[in-house]
Amino acid sequence: MTTGPAVPEVGDVLTVTVGPVAHGGFCVARREEDGLVLFVRHTLPGEIVRATVTETGSRFVRADATEVLEASPARVVPPCPFSGPGRCGGCDWQHASLEEQRRLKAQVVQGQLRRLAGLVLDDVACEPVPGDVDGLRWRTRVEFAVTRDDAGERVPGLRLHRSHEVLPVTDCLIADERIARSGVLGAPVPDGVVGVDVVAPGRGEAVVVPLGMPRAPSRDRRRGHRGGPGQPGRDHRRGRREPAPVPLGPVPEVTERVGDHEFTLSARGFWQVHPGAATTFTDQVLAWLDPQPGERALDLYAGVGLFAVPLAERVGLTGSVRAVEADREAAAAAERHLTSYPWARAVAKPTEAALADLVAAGERADVVVLDPPRTGAGRAVVEAVAALSPRAVVYVACDPAALARDVGTAREHGLELVDLRVLDAFPMTHHMECLALLRPVR
């Protein structure tokens, strides 16, 4: 009796030729003898590598390229000493040139739109965002975990990929320089502190927020919106979930500026982490929507009002703006920021519920912008947006798969994708930001 190739176990080393990029910071490889699929980190398409298995599943395995036998011409030496197999999980592409990183990100977006929305786009490019330094020193918000170093000291660190295990670090090269010089990195952490949130706002030095464990498990939805190297979550190797740490004292406010507008928010409130992102996104949203005096604008997942404020300025006192945000603290901040525009208001309500009310009341919206969390808006929200009969919709997406699913739903309801920008707002990682313009089919 013959048996097929053995199912690999964690720690096994396989020699594979690497295929195309996949969403999530992996490339796809297949074992020749049985077609077993491997999702391999720290490699590039076309390379031949020895891959060490890190996780096993029924139809695929995850692995790290621990030895490169034939390298891609786009491979570079990672600038960060904490990057690489078995090291910090925050960066996926430090071993690739910036040009290659952006080429791969564009391919991921193309693949997701083709597979999930039925759209074939040939001219997708991933563009840089002003404000980083050759892909480094851009992250203005980093949450460090705490571990013990070789000397037994409690020190800050960053998590390994898909794990709660923490690697001590003395710098993070994608972090803003103010975070690096905040005094947090390399310094002993007091007992009772399980994490340290460091924020480099639009002006001033970094703000440090010590974190401790909550008395009861909790989830902080907004902190998980964009993810990050210090974020808690499920340990896929151990199958457990830890509660998110909470501030040990009052959280200070920070001020961010976009154009002529200032936004004041909690240091732990959601704001784009790349210093050039908020301005770049706002400029594009306004250019595509081109809001006119007297129009009705809707800002969904509005946060502290980044888009609602300039929309209110554009539609003027004969128009209206409704900013919808489920997080009450963020909605209250949006309401403050809209004080100068009495024709605009913020609603502290889940987006799906707020839209259901508008549709039931027979309301319409001329222009809509939505910036949902990583999971996307979902079918109910997209269908409700279409029911409001907008002339233009801009979807700001931090996950291309979620965007593609929602674009597919929008197409079913008469809204077609007419323009797309892919922006490298998270260099060195697999993340990117997509801005999509949808218009009704005429």
Side-chain angles (χ1 to χ4, degrees):
M1 180 176 178
T2 59
T3 59
V7 176
E9 298 180 354
V10 173
D12 286 353
V13 179
L14 309 177
T15 300
V16 295
T17 300
V18 179
V21 66
H23 180 32
F26 302 89
C27 290
V28 179
R30 294 181 185 272
R31 189 163 63 177
E32 289 186 6
E33 53 264 43
D34 61 353
L36 177 73
V37 176
L38 291 87
F39 291 124
V40 188
R41 278 172 58 82
H42 302 109
T43 192
L44 294 170
E47 292 187 328
I48 300 176
V49 302
R50 287 197 176 98
T52 301
V53 175
T54 57
E55 294 179 51
T56 60
S58 58
R59 292 181 297 173
F60 66 88
V61 301
R62 299 183 187 273
D64 270 340
T66 47
E67 184 179 356
V68 179
L69 304 178
E70 291 189 18
S72 163
R75 178 173 283 275
V76 299
V77 176
C80 178
F82 302 107
S83 177
R87 311 277 292 162
C88 172
C91 292
D92 309 287
W93 296 118
Q94 286 211 11
H95 60 283
S97 67
L98 271 176
E99 181 182 6
E100 179 72 356
Q101 291 180 37
R102 291 168 183 154
R103 189 179 72 84
L104 295 176
K105 291 180 182 186
Q107 288 181 3
V108 167
V109 175
Q110 286 175 304
Q112 297 299 314
L113 286 170
R114 181 176 61 251
R115 185 169 66 87
L116 299 173
L119 289 170
V120 178
L121 303 180
D122 297 324
D123 57 349
V124 176
C126 182
E127 310 167 43
V129 176
D132 58 61
V133 182
D134 295 328
L136 303 174
R137 297 304 185 196
W138 54 268
R139 192 175 184 95
T140 58
R141 283 151 170 80
V142 180
E143 184 177 312
F144 296 98
V146 176
T147 189
R148 291 194 182 274
D149 62 15
D150 292 340
E153 292 276 4
R154 301 182 76 250
V155 295
L158 296 170
R159 301 182 190 278
L160 276 60
H161 180 63
R162 294 169 62 84
S163 174
H164 275 277
E165 188 175 346
V166 178
L167 176 73
V169 298
T170 54
D171 195 1
C172 172
L173 291 187
I174 64 171
D176 187 289
E177 285 278 10
R178 290 169 293 170
I179 292 175
R181 64 173 182 257
S182 66
V184 168
L185 291 169
V189 177
D191 290 340
V193 176
V194 301
V196 184
D197 210 358
V198 190
V199 177
R203 64 185 186 194
E205 284 301 306
V207 173
V208 177
V209 182
L211 308 174
M213 293 308 297
R215 294 180 180 178
S218 66
R219 288 187 70 184
D220 188 335
R221 183 183 66 84
R222 293 304 292 182
R223 291 298 297 173
H225 186 174
R226 304 294 185 186
Q231 295 296 327
R234 178 173 295 278
D235 187 328
H236 292 262
R237 290 179 247 187
R238 300 182 184 179
R240 60 187 171 89
R241 181 178 291 278
E242 294 181 357
V246 298
L248 288 173
V251 178
E253 289 188 330
V254 296
T255 299
E256 305 287 354
R257 188 175 184 87
V258 176
D260 296 329
H261 305 293
E262 284 194 345
F263 299 86
T264 302
L265 64 152
S266 164
R268 281 179 60 81
F270 174 74
W271 189 260
Q272 293 292 341
V273 296
H274 192 292
T279 296
T280 301
F281 299 171
T282 300
D283 289 347
Q284 188 60 72
V285 165
L286 294 176
W288 275 346
L289 291 181
D290 190 23
Q292 298 297 306
E295 288 196 311
R296 293 158 291 186
L298 189 58
D299 181 8
L300 305 177
Y301 312 94
V304 299
L306 172 64
F307 302 126
V309 169
L311 284 171
E313 194 171 64
R314 292 289 189 93
V315 302
L317 56 84
T318 59
S320 67
V321 174
R322 187 185 300 255
V324 178
E325 170 54 52
D327 183 87
R328 291 189 177 277
E329 185 177 3
E335 187 72 16
R336 291 197 308 271
H337 298 142
L338 290 168
T339 301
S340 299
Y341 311 98
W343 54 92
R345 60 184 295 243
V347 178
K349 200 168 190 176
T351 295
E352 187 173 337
L355 285 174
D357 292 345
L358 293 175
V359 172
E363 297 277 359
R364 288 193 63 246
D366 296 296
V367 293
V368 178
V369 58
L370 63 163
D371 183 8
R374 192 171 299 284
T375 51
R379 176 169 288 275
V381 167
V382 174
E383 289 177 344
V385 167
L388 297 175
S389 303
R391 65 169 178 80
V393 177
V394 176
Y395 189 130
V396 182
C398 57
D399 184 88
L403 171 66
R405 285 191 294 269
D406 289 342
V407 166
T409 301
R411 298 185 75 201
E412 295 172 12
H413 293 272
L415 291 171
E416 282 288 349
L417 178 68
V418 297
D419 211 340
L420 175 71
R421 287 186 72 186
V422 181
L423 295 165
D424 195 13
F426 309 91
M428 304 294 167
T429 80
H430 76 270
H431 301 290
M432 76 287 286
E433 202 85 12
C434 298
L435 275 65
L437 173 61
L438 307 172
R439 291 194 186 277
V441 178
R442 299 300 182 189

